[in-house]
């Protein structure tokens, strides 16, 4: 952040890629000087790797969306714990504490959602993009905010690149005549998680996704595969909508 504040270009690189690059060169030693050399050589080979650090508004938005996701996860765990205690007939001892904690978490989630909406409303460009994303049936305010904060590149990529960035593109496992099972791997976890949540309800509301889900189910595909396919289609539509700058239309995206 200090480099950006000083007016210098800065790129955020995944540590795993630098580590793999070091191992490919047989470098196991680790010092500040060795790391700097490896990063420089890596960027010389892959100048488009990593992602540029977001501006201040996006950094704040990312922090808020991350915090909200953490609060939702805490609430989910609390509900599970309450259910477990009820089955053990010990819920009465902690009823008041559980209710107070749940009320506090819900209040914090609502406050975070209000602050996220406020950040989006402060900047015309962000507000316009959020409106475009919310025009997609199945993509609500939470999904739109998460995609904007975690994937600022959205709208400037090809469809396959958007799917790969979220880890929703199937990865081949073939060798010679052997054809392995395709699986998803890698990518940015936070937007993938929110896309999974959106994909659970999207087929019920999006006329372009409903027949896709129906066709996969009729073929006997597992439920998880159907959700992944819908999530991949959602991120593809989101990228297309932001790239075109026009609200979602069934005929254009079906």
């Amino acid at each position: 952040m200090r480099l950006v504040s000083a007016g210098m270009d800065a790129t955020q690189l995944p540590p795993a890629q630098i580590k793999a690059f070091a191992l490919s060169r047989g470098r196991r030693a680790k010092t500040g000087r060795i790391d700097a050399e490896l990063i420089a050589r890596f960027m010389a080979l892959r100048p488009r790797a990593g992602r540029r650090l977001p501006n201040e508004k996006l950094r704040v938005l990312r922090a808020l969306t991350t915090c909200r996701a953490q609060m939702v996860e805490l609430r989910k765990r609390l509900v599970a714990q309450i259910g477990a205690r009820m089955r053990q007939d010990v819920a009465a001892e902690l009823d008041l504490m559980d209710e107070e904690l749940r009320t506090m978490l819900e209040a914090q989630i609502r406050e975070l959602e209000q602050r996220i909406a406020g950040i989006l409303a402060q900047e015309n460009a962000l507000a316009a993009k959020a409106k475009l994303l919310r025009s997609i049936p199945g993509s609500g305010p939470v999904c739109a905010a998460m995609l904007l904060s975690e994937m600022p590149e959205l709208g400037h990529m090809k469809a396959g690149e958007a799917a790969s960035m979220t880890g929703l593109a199937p990865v081949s496992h073939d060798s010679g005549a052997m054809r392995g099972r395709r699986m998803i791997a890698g990518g940015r976890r936070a937007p993938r998680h929110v896309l999974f949540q959106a994909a659970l309800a999207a087929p019920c509301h999006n006329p372009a996704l409903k027949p896709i889900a129906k066709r996969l189910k009729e073929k006997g595909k597992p439920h998880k595969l159907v959700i992944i396919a819908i999530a991949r289609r959602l991120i593809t539509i989101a990228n297309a909508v932001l790239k075109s700058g026009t609200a979602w239309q069934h005929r254009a995206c079906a």
Side-chain angles (χ1 to χ4, degrees):
M1 299 306 172
R2 292 183 179 179
L3 294 175
V4 175
S5 301
M8 301 177 66
D9 289 334
T11 302
Q12 187 177 21
L13 295 172
Q17 290 188 7
I18 303 301
K19 184 177 181 180
F21 180 69
L23 292 176
S24 72
R25 296 177 61 85
R27 302 294 292 270
R28 297 185 179 277
K30 178 177 174 58
T31 65
R33 185 170 183 174
I34 291 175
D35 288 348
E37 179 190 352
L38 284 170
I39 293 172
R41 291 184 181 277
F42 178 82
M43 290 303 295
L45 291 173
R46 295 189 56 193
R48 297 182 61 184
R51 57 177 173 177
R52 297 176 65 87
L53 293 177
N55 58 36
E56 183 179 358
K57 281 284 192 300
L58 284 180
R59 293 201 299 270
V60 174
L61 183 61
R62 182 180 297 176
L64 291 172
T65 54
T66 300
C67 187
R68 182 197 174 278
Q70 292 169 343
M71 292 295 104
V72 170
E73 181 64 24
L74 286 175
R75 183 179 62 182
K76 179 180 176 182
R77 293 184 182 182
L78 177 62
V79 171
Q81 291 169 2
I82 292 173
R85 284 196 287 268
M86 289 180 65
R87 290 191 294 272
Q88 296 170 5
D89 294 329
V90 295
E93 299 293 332
L94 298 170
D95 274 349
L96 181 59
M97 184 181 296
D98 286 340
E99 187 60 31
E100 290 177 349
L101 183 55
R102 187 170 182 175
T103 300
M104 181 190 70
L105 288 174
E106 290 177 348
Q108 289 182 339
I109 291 172
R110 287 194 298 271
E111 181 182 350
L112 286 166
E113 289 174 347
Q114 291 173 359
R115 294 180 65 179
I116 289 170
I119 289 293
L120 292 175
Q122 288 176 11
E123 190 171 320
N124 293 335
L126 276 179
K129 289 182 178 180
K131 185 177 180 180
L132 289 173
L133 291 175
R134 288 197 298 267
S135 73
I136 305 170
S139 174
V142 174
C143 183
M146 182 63 76
L147 291 180
L148 289 176
S149 64
E150 293 291 338
M151 296 185 64
E153 306 93 339
L154 203 61
H156 302 281
M157 300 180 291
K158 297 179 180 178
E161 292 174 339
S164 296
M165 186 171 288
T166 50
L168 292 170
V171 179
S172 302
H173 292 275
D174 300 338
S175 180
M178 188 272 290
R179 293 294 180 266
R181 183 180 180 184
R182 268 56 173 170
M183 301 177 66
I184 61 172
R188 299 180 186 174
R189 182 181 180 278
R192 181 171 65 252
H193 179 74
V194 79
L195 284 167
F196 280 161
Q197 298 299 316
L200 291 172
C204 300
H205 306 284
N206 193 314
L209 300 179
K210 187 174 182 178
I212 297 175
K214 182 180 179 181
R215 184 167 64 251
L216 291 173
K217 290 178 181 177
E218 288 175 348
K219 290 182 178 180
K221 300 297 183 181
H223 177 68
K224 187 174 181 180
L225 188 148
V226 176
I227 296 302
I228 291 172
I230 296 301
R232 181 166 62 248
R233 185 65 179 231
L234 272 175
I235 192 62
T236 300
I237 293 175
N239 183 65
V241 164
L242 291 183
K243 183 179 289 188
S244 66
T246 56
W248 183 88
Q249 296 179 4
H250 178 35
R251 291 184 178 180
C253 297

